[in-house]
Amino acid sequence: MAVTLGSRNVGDIIKIRENGVPVDFLIVHKGLPPSYYDGSCNGIWVLRKNVHSRFAGSAQIPNYPLSEIAAWLENTYYNMFDAAVRAGIRYVKIPYKYVSGKSITVATGAVGAAVHCFLLAAAETAASKEENFNSVLQYFQGCTTNGEVKRIAYDAGGTAQKWYLRSMSDSTTSPGYIRVVEENGQSYRLEGEIQEKRHIRPAMILDPDMLIDDSGTVTVNTAPSTPDSISVPGSIRGGSTITVSWSGSSDAQGNLEGYRLERSVNGGAWTLIYQGGGTSTANNVAYGTGSVAYRVKAYDS
């Protein structure tokens, strides 16, 4: 039985398929973080549990939307998901800092970076207080700027690795410094021109109405099948009660809820006369009715 993603809790692990392979993600926030965030960020925030690819420091230039990492996430990584899952990944505007000359500017709200997949910021993980937008995601609330187990991430072999944040230093004299999470979960500043590679942990904001099946895998809800037939007497006497019946529907996610039967009298508007789990109902046809028509559709939870 599938349930909605919105019914799961912060800290839960879900699975999303990358190139067909299930990968663990952590739910790190539900809803819209306070302040600084565009309304598009209102959803289920998920973070890859383990690290992914490695990039050199210079790939993270002091303007996140123009960085090599951001481009890779928005193109190569985003297309690792099938079309149905991509449809549930929100296109959002996230806050970030950038350098213009010797000045540092914070882009928030509607002028944030427009992305599907992104890196978390230091402030969102409670790894630094020099972000200029202090919105700690729910999963990281209570963490300090010291080593924190909640920020530790591993590679496929189970070894803890350093991973990039999308944050840069507040220093106007060294604007190329960016933030990295160390193997023990503590954050430090890494000069952007250093070529030593670090890993990334992709994050996304998902639609709360996406589904999670019994294995914890994210799926996309589809509509139930249309009832194949509906049965109505060919001749109806005014003032009588008739039985209208229809065939049952199926639902790929197993969450078929019921049926809605509507009626049109004398070619007028359609009105709901039955809603429920049955496949038949009685209906009274008033005296003086010239014609009556019925239609039915299935719905899921």
Side-chain angles (χ1 to χ4, degrees), residues 122-190:
E124 291 162 355
T125 66
S128 172
K129 296 180 180 180
E130 60 175 34
E131 194 73 62
N132 301 102
F133 53 92
N134 295 315
S135 295
V136 179
L137 301 181
Q138 292 158 349
Y139 178 75
F140 296 102
Q141 288 179 6
C143 292
T144 69
T145 57
N146 299 320
E148 288 282 355
V149 65
K150 285 188 174 183
R151 287 194 292 264
I152 297 175
Y154 301 86
D155 60 20
T159 301
Q161 298 289 344
K162 295 180 173 70
W163 52 281
Y164 280 123
L165 299 163
R166 73 172 187 273
S167 304
M168 52 171 287
S169 168
D170 265 351
S171 171
T172 56
T173 58
S174 301
Y177 278 70
I178 56 177
R179 287 214 162 263
V180 173
V181 175
E182 294 187 90
E183 294 90 340
N184 68 348
Q186 187 169 0
S187 171
Y188 76 101
R189 294 184 299 181
L190 173 70

Side-chain angles (χ1 to χ4, degrees), residues 6-204:
S7 68
R8 301 300 293 266
N9 299 317
V10 171
D12 283 357
I13 295 176
I14 63 173
K15 296 180 184 295
I16 307 175
R17 294 182 182 275
E18 295 175 355
N19 289 330
V21 179
V23 173
D24 287 347
F25 283 77
L26 282 164
I27 297 178
V28 293
H29 193 86
K30 295 176 65 175
L32 185 66
S35 305
Y36 312 110
Y37 292 82
D38 181 71
S40 61
C41 296
N42 187 3
I44 307 300
W45 291 58
V46 298
L47 172 68
R48 201 176 195 274
K49 182 182 178 183
N50 294 321
V51 295
H52 200 286
S53 303
R54 298 173 68 193
F55 288 83
S58 59
Q60 178 82 338
I61 62 174
N63 189 334
Y64 178 74
L66 301 180
S67 69
E68 178 186 337
I69 292 175
W72 184 88
L73 286 169
E74 194 62 14
N75 295 284
T76 303
Y77 184 70
Y78 176 64
N79 285 298
M80 290 181 183
F81 305 107
D82 63 39
V85 172
R86 291 199 302 270
I89 300 175
R90 296 277 175 87
Y91 189 51
V92 300
K93 295 181 178 179
I94 56 170
Y96 69 100
K97 293 190 299 185
Y98 65 92
V99 176
S100 178
K102 290 295 183 179
S103 299
I104 294 178
T105 301
V106 182
T108 61
V111 297
V115 293
H116 288 96
C117 307
F118 53 93
L119 301 183
L120 291 187
E124 291 162 355
T125 66
S128 172
K129 296 180 180 180
E130 60 175 34
E131 194 73 62
N132 301 102
F133 53 92
N134 295 315
S135 295
V136 179
L137 301 181
Q138 292 158 349
Y139 178 75
F140 296 102
Q141 288 179 6
C143 292
T144 69
T145 57
N146 299 320
E148 288 282 355
V149 65
K150 285 188 174 183
R151 287 194 292 264
I152 297 175
Y154 301 86
D155 60 20
T159 301
Q161 298 289 344
K162 295 180 173 70
W163 52 281
Y164 280 123
L165 299 163
R166 73 172 187 273
S167 304
M168 52 171 287
S169 168
D170 265 351
S171 171
T172 56
T173 58
S174 301
Y177 278 70
I178 56 177
R179 287 214 162 263
V180 173
V181 175
E182 294 187 90
E183 294 90 340
N184 68 348
Q186 187 169 0
S187 171
Y188 76 101
R189 294 184 299 181
L190 173 70
E191 188 174 356
E193 294 304 316
I194 295 176
Q195 295 300 310
E196 187 175 357
K197 292 185 176 182
R198 299 289 184 263
H199 287 84
I200 60 171
R201 292 179 73 185
M204 302 173 288

